[in-house]
């Protein structure tokens, strides 16, 4: 059974894209067939896996086209440089989608009917990298998903931000997708030397309990470096702390879903 997982947090810069790219790549290395769907107009997951959109490269269609017309979906999926890892890319035209679909009936279900339902059986895992907002695009991703991974940084107001996301998840569950679950909560850019970090972790643990992944991703310069080279961390520097911790996280993820 395919599992569809959104990586969400309406706050920008918390490690959504880094987590989506790297957990997807680690699962591919474990010989799972994985699709990463880039649902953020900033298209960082697309560039982070070195996918270049141009007529010359043969990559022409994106998530935007698929949302508008599901007949593009099969042919818009492209192999990444890594075996078993595929990408459905985004481009900047996704910026306008929320306004364009607002009057369509079933506007919350477009991602599900035009994308995931069509290609679901072709993959073991589908990850959706979502934009930093709780707009219609994120709602669409949540409606199309079985579960959500919530990356968060250990800062004072992190929990307040996440409570808005939890409210959205609750509403989606009640009205649009009753099976949606929280897959796990992941601390990113962790710095164990900071006292504040430990305080925030214990607060968040009170709130989420066992949903918190034991694996936490430390701050590691190799992670931004790897994405600027268009590679997942395990291809860029397998011995880095970033790689080690994303591999650990992936093992924990697999243990939980088993
Ligand atoms: N563990 C980490 N250590 C250091 N830098 C990181 C780490 N995780 C992410 N980053 C960097 O922080 C920035 C924001 O991360 P990103 O994954 O793009 O967040 P989001 O998708 O939530 O906006 C990026 O430049 C990314 O390379
Ligand atoms: Mg991002």
């Amino acid at each position: 059974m395919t599992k569809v997982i959104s990586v969400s947090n309406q706050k920008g810069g918390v490690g959504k894209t880094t987590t989506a790219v790297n957990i997807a790549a680690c699962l591919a290395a474990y010989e799972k067939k994985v699709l990463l769907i880039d649902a953020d107009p900033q298209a960082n997951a697309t560039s982070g896996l070195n996918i270049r959109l141009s007529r010359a490269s043969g990559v022409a269609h994106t998530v935007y086209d698929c949302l508008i017309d599901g007949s593009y979906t099969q042919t818009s999926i492209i192999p990444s440089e890594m075996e078993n890892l595929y990408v459905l890319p985004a481009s900047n035209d996704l910026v306008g989608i929320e306004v364009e679909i607002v009057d369509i009936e079933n506007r919350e279900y477009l991602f599900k009917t035009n994308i995931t339902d069509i290609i679901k059986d072709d993959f073991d895992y589908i990850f959706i990298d979502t934009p930093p907002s709780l707009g219609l695009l994120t709602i669409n991703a949540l409606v199309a998903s079985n579960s959500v991974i919530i990356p968060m940084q250990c800062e004072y107001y992190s929990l307040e931000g996440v409570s808005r996301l939890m409210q959205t998840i609750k509403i989606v569950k009640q009205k649009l997708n009753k099976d949606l679950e929280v897959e796990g909560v992941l601390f990113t850019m962790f710095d164990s030397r900071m006292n504040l970090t430990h305080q925030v972790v214990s607060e968040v643990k009170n709130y989420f309990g066992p949903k918190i992944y034991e694996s936490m991703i430390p701050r590691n310069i190799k992670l931004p470096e790897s994405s600027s080279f268009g590679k997942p961390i395990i291809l860029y520097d397998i011995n880095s702390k970033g790689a080690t911790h994303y591999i650990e996280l992936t093992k924990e993820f697999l243990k939980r879903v088993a």
Side-chain angles (χ1 to χ4, degrees), residues 62-239:
T62 64
V63 166
Y64 172 85
D65 303 295
C66 302
L67 283 170
I68 300 293
D69 181 349
S71 67
Y72 285 120
T73 300
Q74 291 277 9
T75 53
S76 302
I77 291 171
I78 23 192
S80 73
E81 284 167 16
M82 226 184 139
E83 204 181 336
N84 299 318
L85 179 58
Y86 296 79
V87 183
L88 184 51
S91 63
N92 188 258
D93 50 10
L94 203 53
V95 166
I97 193 85
E98 299 194 347
V99 180
E100 289 174 47
I101 64 176
V102 75
D103 291 326
I104 298 180
E105 205 185 330
N106 291 331
R107 57 179 185 261
E108 294 94 352
Y109 292 92
L110 291 177
F111 209 109
K112 181 175 162 57
T113 52
N114 288 356
I115 301 182
T116 48
D117 278 356
I118 292 174
I119 41 142
K120 227 172 161 172
D121 297 335
D122 302 341
F123 298 94
D124 297 309
Y125 295 100
I126 298 175
F127 286 86
I128 308 173
D129 185 27
T130 65
S133 77
L134 294 173
L136 204 39
L137 204 43
T138 295
I139 303 281
N140 261 272
L142 294 175
V143 171
S145 296
N146 300 106
S147 62
V148 197
I149 289 178
I150 306 171
M152 63 188 288
Q153 258 179 288
C154 299
E155 295 169 343
Y156 259 123
Y157 298 107
S158 295
L159 198 53
E160 277 173 38
V162 167
S163 68
R164 275 191 56 211
L165 172 63
M166 292 310 292
Q167 188 61 28
T168 302
I169 291 173
K170 195 173 149 194
I171 293 167
V172 170
K173 244 175 110 99
Q174 282 167 355
K175 306 207 161 143
L176 302 163
N177 175 13
K178 66 174 169 36
D179 298 325
L180 184 66
E181 285 177 43
V182 173
E183 182 70 44
V185 178
L186 175 69
F187 284 112
T188 59
M189 300 177 227
F190 190 83
D191 185 347
S192 60
R193 289 164 306 181
M194 284 174 67
N195 265 335
L196 167 63
T197 301
H198 294 286
Q199 193 184 327
V200 175
V201 167
S202 74
E203 247 176 53
V204 175
K205 276 190 172 152
N206 282 338
Y207 186 81
F208 283 105
K211 289 286 182 191
I212 315 261
Y213 287 113
E214 275 170 40
S215 321
M216 298 179 187
I217 310 299
R219 215 170 251 292
N220 180 217
I221 187 68
K222 297 286 179 182
L223 285 163
E225 264 179 45
S226 67
S227 63
S228 70
F229 283 96
K231 288 190 187 306
I233 189 71
I234 52 171
L235 293 191
Y236 179 73
D237 186 349
I238 187 75
N239 295 314

